[in-house]
Amino acid sequence: MAGPISETDNPSRYVVGIDLGTTNSAVAYVDSQAERWMVQTFAVPQLVAPGVVEVRETLPSFHYQRATGEFAAGALRMPWTEGEPEFAVGLLAREQGANVPGRLIASAKSWLCHSGVDRLADLLPWHGAADVDRLSPVEVSGRYLAHVRAAWNHRFPGDPLESQDIVLTLPASFDEVARELTVKAAARAGLPRVVLIEEPQAAIYQWIHAHENEWSQLVELGQKILICDVGGGTSDFTLIRVGRDNQGKTQFHRVAVGEHLILGGDNLDLALAHHVEQKLVGEGKLEPRQWSVLVQRCRQIKESLLGDNPPPQVTLSLPGSGSRLIGGALQVELARDDAQALLVDGFFPRVPLDSKPLTRRSAFQEFGLPYAPDAAITRYLAAFLTAHRFVALPVEEPAPTDHDPARPDAVLFNGGVFDAPALRERLLEVVGSWFSEPGNAWRPRVLENQRRDLAVARGAAYYGMVRRGQGVRIAAGLARTYFIGATTVEGSRSAICLVPAGVEEGESVDLTGRTFDLLIRQPVEFPLYVSSTQLLARPGEVLSIDPEQMTALPPIRTVLQSGKKTAGADRVSVQLHARRTEIGTLDLWCSELSGGRTWKLQFDVRAATRTDLTGHEGLGERAGIVDQALRDACRQAIVDTFTPAGNQRDKPEGLMKRLAEIAEMPRGAWPPSLLREMWETLMEVEPGRRMSAAHEARWLGLLGFSLRPGYGMAVDDWRVAHTRRMLASLAYNNPTCRAEWWILWRRIAGGLPAGQQRALAQPLIGEIRATHRALMKGRGPETKSGSHEAAELWRVLGSLELLAIADKTDLGGMLIDLAPREKVTSVESAAIWALGRIGARSPMYGPLNTVVPADVAAKWIDGVLELRREPDTAALTLMQLARRTGDRYRDISPAMRQKVIAWLSTRQTPPHFLQLVAEGGQLEAAEQGLVFGESLPQGLRLLT
């Protein structure tokens, strides 16, 4: 658990600061028993060549897994290792991986904050070599820390690292999930007790320490310091105000933190690589292996061309492809001026202060990472300064009249990107232009940290001593404002300020001025929103939910229970009390006004480890909420159909028609809110499905229809889990009920977690494998014409997007083998539809780490094109298998893409299908329904 270091504990001898960086990691420490303590750098022993161990001041954050026979025995051993290591981290890993990128893991820190994948899944290296063991971003980060721990314990055996006070740094803009995953990585490394500090704070702590005798003379009261932290993977902006503490002494106050941006040195590498690629192959693309080598080479070249005294040009060589690996190398000259223009103007362009970042998708979608939509760091900085124009001002002070209050007085650079003088100079030039006037040029003062590569680790170690009461503390209250979602009397959804920015750890906030109605004894959701721009909101203030300025966090979904139920006691009046705890949680108490009951909720805003859940977006609710009379009438129709006491003239076969008449709208127009109420009623009358086979078939059909697609509405995960627990088996095991059973699971598959999807799929895969073996040997039964159940078996398998890649590859291979067989003609259309879902380049809801490789999809495309018959789903499937994403690791080859386009062009194919294959883009509403297998509820959308 991440928690405070208590001064009452027996303090460890050493205080250690660890900068776990995207590109390089560093370690610093303080020997608290020294006569005059000082921050020292811990030089990390590491492999610099096979069999050669040397110490370096930084540990490159790269992981390399050896191939069989690649190194001699003992070549990867460290002084503390036993046996034969299978991997190396550090300098050797970086250098070896530049030549063999398929075995290299880089930028693991960026993957820790990638919400589009399961960050606990084994997915790195992203599209690496086939024989490489995949690791999760957490595991890789843990291995870097484990190396540090082993190196430390080898040097200080009497004071093991796990027994020292450790301060671990992370980006200020890391979301709560990424923060907790960083703590998990430390725990895996055997470091269960760490304190977290934001990297920009650590950087200014180092500046304070480096200027401990003069810092108070270098800044003035009321000044605003901008920390620009652009590292290998992220860009962070932080504002510090110089103020006074309670005793009137000068104190630094952290007042604002920018949004999370995956934009840093890695993006510069990619931009340079794209530039070189165009020089090498024009409009074409290098093979993935060559591209990976090129990116690693560009990392090195960038540092050379942007550094001090750069050469006028460099020569870059790449290995050949395919059979031309020897003698087929590619070579290109790269001029210094061209590279500097590309990187300086591309990432730090001259823009006005009122410019906003572009929202289009980034051109650089390599390696599966969701890079920031705009590459212009200066545009993000302009938006940050204008959004926080007034937040650095004390409430009691008026805004300055002699200059724009958005202006920072000083700048502190941090991160490896700013090792380049040209980039520092350009940023100062741009910021100066924003606040200069004709005839009165202005520039911010620069606060210098001499070693930016070590500043964060050193500042973290210094902060560890500050926690012991030594040194200068920065007042770093909550940098964000937290809001609780609630429905107003008028019925609109609003955000009520729960904990305002600036609240310190352990401080409580009472919203005694407002009264809330609390629902108990039924599933409810408590939405939580966070904003780093709405920093002036006060406790209890009601604001509209603004997706641009508020980010939804994983909500609490639960049922609040309370003793024996009495009439009218499902709604109680409460007041709210909140507290930000020292361990990073946000505790919320709902206290009854007219009684003594209190319900405590704990939002783990730092430790929201459910990476498979995202904050509820309220999309389904936007489709409309029908009136109570209509809901009651629909409920009664369902009750009458499935209870013995109901109107027996209401046969189950006519229920859908009756509901459409009551709602006065076709079933495709029923809003999700009405559908979920139908689900609730169906669960209440569940025993009624046993009244007859017809009753069970209709009950199953309407249940799946009302809960589709298994997500999109508040508490849908609870509904799907409750449905699964309720449905252990069928009451009537006939073909109709079995078909409806599979349709139900296909409809709600998106709400099932990965383990439940595997459990549902395994017996079906076993049956298909047995059929496959029999038919391949010329035996096996013919699938009966019109076999609805058999078709739905394939459709449900296609809907399980969380299956492992190996299972998907196995399924798709069997399907391609079976499709041409006459004995499966009746289910061919459903099977080919399933193939499109299984091999889709852009899944509906699944994470990118479950997308099958592009070469596998290409084989399936050939299989579909070679079918003697053309199922009506062939065009849809080919579109999904060939759809362009911009990620060369997911996209099929240009030649295969043209093959698909040619096939689609000769058929009556929707023009947008051709566009999706040729250029990419988003699915239209009707196309989403085709991919899903039927219409989606209004207001809900897919994630593609």
Side-chain angles (χ1 to χ4, degrees):
M1 177 188 297
I5 299 172
S6 172
E7 287 81 358
T8 61
D9 293 340
N10 291 326
S12 61
R13 173 173 179 174
Y14 295 101
V15 174
V16 183
I18 302 178
D19 173 15
L20 183 62
T22 304
T23 307
N24 289 287
S25 297
V27 184
Y29 67 98
V30 172
D31 183 351
S32 64
Q33 295 181 7
E35 184 175 347
R36 185 181 184 279
W37 64 266
M38 59 184 296
V39 177
Q40 304 178 67
T41 300
F42 176 73
V44 185
Q46 58 196 281
L47 288 161
V48 299
V52 181
V53 176
E54 295 180 2
V55 295
R56 293 288 189 272
E57 289 185 311
T58 61
L59 176 73
S61 303
F62 294 84
H63 180 288
Y64 185 84
Q65 182 181 324
R66 66 186 300 169
T68 303
E70 184 176 7
F71 297 106
L76 300 187
R77 286 184 193 148
M78 295 297 296
W80 53 80
T81 58
E82 298 179 359
E84 200 63 41
E86 294 299 319
F87 66 90
V89 301
L91 187 60
L92 172 63
R94 185 186 70 187
E95 300 306 312
Q96 190 71 10
N99 298 313
V100 193
R103 314 190 74 81
L104 178 72
I105 297 175
S107 303
K109 184 175 178 179
S110 296
W111 288 91
L112 279 178
C113 52
H114 186 350
S115 60
V117 299
D118 180 354
R119 289 169 265 189
L120 295 173
D122 296 332
L123 52 89
L124 300 178
W126 190 249
H127 295 288
D131 62 331
V132 171
D133 295 333
R134 296 302 197 273
L135 303 172
S136 72
V138 176
E139 178 65 27
V140 177
S141 301
R143 289 190 176 185
Y144 299 149
L145 292 172
H147 183 96
V148 169
R149 177 189 173 213
W152 175 280
N153 292 351
H154 183 71
R155 179 176 171 185
F156 301 108
D159 296 284
L161 185 59
E162 57 269 28
S163 299
Q164 310 310 304
D165 289 343
I166 301 172
V167 179
L168 184 61
T169 71
L170 73 179
S173 56
F174 249 22
D175 63 20
E176 282 68 20
V177 175
R179 286 171 178 257
E180 176 58 20
L181 294 180
T182 303
V183 175
K184 278 185 174 289
R188 292 194 182 191
L191 305 174
R193 186 170 177 267
V194 298
V195 170
L196 301 179
I197 185 176
E198 297 165 0
E199 290 164 4
Q201 278 194 69
I204 200 163
Y205 269 125
Q206 166 57 17
W207 180 83
I208 293 171
H209 177 55
H211 301 83
E212 59 183 344
N213 297 321
E214 56 181 350
W215 67 263
S216 59
Q217 286 78 49
L218 298 176
V219 294
E220 298 177 9
L221 190 67
Q223 285 188 331
K224 186 163 57 177
I225 301 169
L226 168 67
I227 304 177
C228 286
D229 185 355
V230 183
T234 58
S235 290
D236 267 334
F237 304 124
T238 298
L239 287 176
I240 303 285
R241 182 175 63 84
V242 183
R244 295 190 187 280
D245 61 16
N246 295 332
Q247 286 74 43
K249 296 180 179 178
T250 302
Q251 186 179 47
F252 293 95
H253 297 260
R254 195 274 313 277
V255 293
V257 174
E259 297 295 333
H260 180 69
L261 298 173
I262 299 185
L263 177 62
D266 288 350
N267 300 81
L268 274 70
D269 302 336
L270 288 170
L272 196 58
H274 278 283
H275 177 71
V276 172
E277 182 180 45
Q278 290 178 356
K279 293 172 71 72
L280 287 170
V281 295
E283 295 301 317
K285 281 195 171 185
L286 294 169
E287 291 184 358
R289 177 182 176 275
Q290 293 175 302
W291 170 254
S292 297
V293 173
L294 175 60
V295 172
Q296 300 303 324
R297 300 277 171 84
C298 285
R299 188 191 308 274
Q300 302 164 342
I301 290 172
K302 170 198 68 180
E303 295 172 356
S304 172
L305 295 179
L306 291 179
D308 295 316
N309 302 314
Q313 66 181 27
V314 295
T315 301
L316 189 149
S317 297
L318 288 180
S321 61
S323 60
R324 299 177 66 236
L325 289 175
I326 299 176
L330 302 173
Q331 196 171 79
V332 66
E333 298 289 334
L334 186 60
R336 173 191 60 202
D337 294 343
D338 290 345
Q340 289 190 347
L342 171 73
L343 300 179
V344 176
D345 294 333
F347 289 88
F348 294 87
R350 298 179 177 93
V351 297
L353 180 60
D354 61 358
S355 61
K356 302 295 182 185
L358 302 178
T359 56
R360 59 173 171 76
R361 188 180 181 187
S362 169
F364 306 128
Q365 292 297 316
E366 306 293 349
F367 305 115
L369 285 170
Y371 294 118
D374 194 337
I377 293 172
T378 44
R379 265 196 284 269
Y380 285 106
L381 178 57
F384 172 74
L385 291 177
T386 54
H388 298 90
R389 178 174 264 119
F390 300 106
V391 297
L393 296 173
V395 176
E396 66 276 5
E397 291 184 13
T401 57
D402 59 338
H403 65 268
D404 187 335
R407 189 191 80 182
D409 299 284
V411 173
L412 175 67
F413 290 112
N414 194 55
V417 165
F418 288 120
D419 285 342
L423 299 183
R424 296 197 304 274
E425 175 59 28
R426 171 58 66 86
L427 188 135
L428 290 172
E429 174 196 332
V430 172
V431 173
S433 72
W434 291 339
F435 304 106
S436 293
E437 297 177 357
N440 185 19
W442 175 89
R443 273 200 175 193
R445 180 176 184 174
V446 177
L447 306 182
E448 289 288 354
N449 266 336
Q450 295 300 319
R451 289 290 302 270
R452 274 176 289 274
D453 56 341
L454 301 177
V456 168
R458 289 174 172 175
Y462 176 81
Y463 172 65
M465 296 303 294
V466 170
R467 289 176 65 85
R468 294 188 177 188
Q470 303 181 50
V472 179
R473 179 183 288 272
I474 297 172
L478 196 62
R480 301 169 174 87
T481 300
Y482 286 88
F483 299 86
I484 191 78
T487 304
T488 64
V489 176
E490 296 78 18
S492 62
R493 299 279 292 181
S494 299
I496 293 89
C497 178
L498 187 62
V499 179
V503 168
E504 298 286 346
E505 293 178 351
E507 188 175 344
S508 296
V509 180
D510 296 325
L511 274 63
T512 54
R514 292 196 175 276
T515 301
F516 299 83
D517 279 344
L518 181 69
L519 300 177
I520 62 175
R521 300 190 183 93
Q522 56 190 291
V524 290
E525 177 185 60
F526 294 87
L528 190 68
Y529 303 90
V530 63
S531 175
S532 60
T533 57
Q534 297 277 13
L535 302 182
L536 300 180
R538 308 319 304 160
E541 184 175 350
V542 179
L543 300 176
S544 299
I545 297 174
D546 184 353
E548 295 296 321
Q549 298 191 54
M550 298 178 185
T551 300
L553 296 177
I556 287 181
R557 295 153 173 163
T558 187
V559 176
L560 300 178
Q561 304 290 357
S562 180
K564 185 177 181 180
K565 183 174 181 180
T566 58
D570 288 344
R571 185 184 298 268
V572 296
S573 296
V574 299
Q575 287 185 336
L576 304 184
H577 314 270
R579 180 175 179 268
R580 182 197 175 200
T581 71
E582 291 83 354
I583 62 171
T585 62
L586 194 158
D587 293 350
L588 173 64
W589 288 270
C590 305
S591 301
E592 187 179 17
L593 286 179
S594 59
R597 293 179 294 181
T598 297
W599 293 266
K600 178 185 176 182
L601 303 171
Q602 188 173 70
F603 292 93
D604 202 354
V605 296
R606 176 168 291 180
T609 57
R610 288 294 302 278
T611 60
D612 58 330
L613 293 178
T614 58
H616 176 60
E617 298 183 57
L619 297 172
E621 290 85 345
R622 296 177 197 170
I625 307 294
V626 300
D627 65 85
Q628 187 63 47
L630 191 155
R631 296 201 300 268
D632 290 344
C634 289
R635 172 185 172 80
Q636 192 60 51
I638 296 172
V639 170
D640 287 345
T641 302
F642 291 104
T643 57
N647 188 344
Q648 292 307 297
R649 291 174 300 176
D650 294 338
K651 301 299 182 184
E653 296 86 349
L655 178 58
M656 298 296 281
K657 181 179 180 181
R658 292 194 296 276
L659 290 171
E661 291 172 349
I662 292 170
E664 297 183 347
M665 64 181 86
R667 66 177 189 171
W670 297 347
S673 58
L674 176 60
L675 289 169
R676 297 310 190 256
E677 291 228 8
M678 290 181 180
W679 171 89
E680 186 174 336
T681 303
L682 287 164
M683 297 304 284
E684 292 175 4
V685 301
E686 185 270 340
R689 71 181 170 110
R690 298 172 177 81
M691 293 168 61
S692 72
H695 280 85
E696 179 160 52
R698 175 48 56 217
W699 187 88
L700 290 169
L702 183 54
L703 189 75
F705 186 79
S706 66
L707 193 49
R708 75 192 201 286
Y711 55 88
M713 287 286 287
V715 208
D716 268 352
D717 60 322
W718 181 86
R719 292 188 182 101
V720 172
H722 189 56
T723 299
R724 186 175 181 274
R725 288 193 298 270
M726 181 73 75
L727 294 179
S729 62
L730 287 169
Y732 295 90
N733 192 12
N734 63 23
T736 302
C737 288
R738 288 197 301 269
E740 292 292 347
W741 173 270
W742 296 121
I743 291 172
L744 182 151
W745 294 117
R746 185 254 299 166
R747 281 170 164 165
I748 70 172
L752 294 170
Q756 293 179 10
Q757 289 199 6
R758 286 194 298 271
L760 183 63
Q762 288 308 319
L764 303 182
I765 294 175
E767 292 180 18
I768 291 170
R769 186 173 289 112
T771 301
H772 177 262
R773 283 197 299 265
L775 288 177
M776 291 298 101
K777 294 179 181 179
R779 303 192 301 271
E782 179 177 353
T783 303
K784 294 181 180 179
S785 178
S787 176
H788 189 32
E789 180 186 354
E792 287 303 331
L793 286 176
W794 274 113
R795 288 182 178 274
V796 73
L797 283 169
S799 301
L800 302 177
E801 293 189 356
L802 302 184
L803 294 181
I805 291 176
D807 288 334
K808 291 183 176 181
T809 303
D810 191 20
L811 268 173
M814 290 190 290
L815 192 155
I816 286 295
D817 287 343
L818 292 172
R821 305 276 170 169
E822 294 295 335
K823 292 185 176 182
V824 297
T825 302
S826 61
V827 298
E828 184 179 43
S829 180
I832 294 301
W833 175 91
L835 185 70
R837 287 289 300 275
I838 294 169
R841 303 296 82 205
S842 294
M844 281 180 62
Y845 62 85
L848 297 181
N849 54 288
T850 61
V851 174
V852 300
D855 59 343
V856 173
K859 292 178 183 177
W860 295 351
I861 289 172
D862 278 333
V864 175
L865 294 178
E866 292 170 3
L867 290 174
R868 294 189 301 274
R869 302 174 302 275
E870 291 184 10
D872 56 4
T873 54
L876 177 67
T877 292
L878 288 171
M879 180 273 288
Q880 292 183 81
L881 294 174
R883 182 177 167 190
R884 191 165 193 165
T885 68
D887 180 347
R888 75 184 69 221
Y889 293 91
R890 281 190 285 156
D891 285 343
I892 59 172
S893 68
M896 181 60 74
R897 177 175 293 106
Q898 290 303 317
K899 198 173 179 179
V900 172
I901 291 173
W903 189 94
L904 293 174
S905 300
T906 61
R907 272 74 174 174
Q908 292 184 336
T909 304
H912 195 232
F913 277 22
L914 286 164
Q915 182 181 345
L916 290 169
V917 174
E919 304 171 13
Q922 298 299 308
L923 295 177
E924 296 173 350
E927 294 164 345
Q928 290 189 356
L930 292 173
V931 172
F932 179 63
E934 62 183 301
S935 66
L936 281 160
Q938 290 191 7
L940 296 184
R941 60 173 172 77
L942 306 183
L943 302 182
T944 57

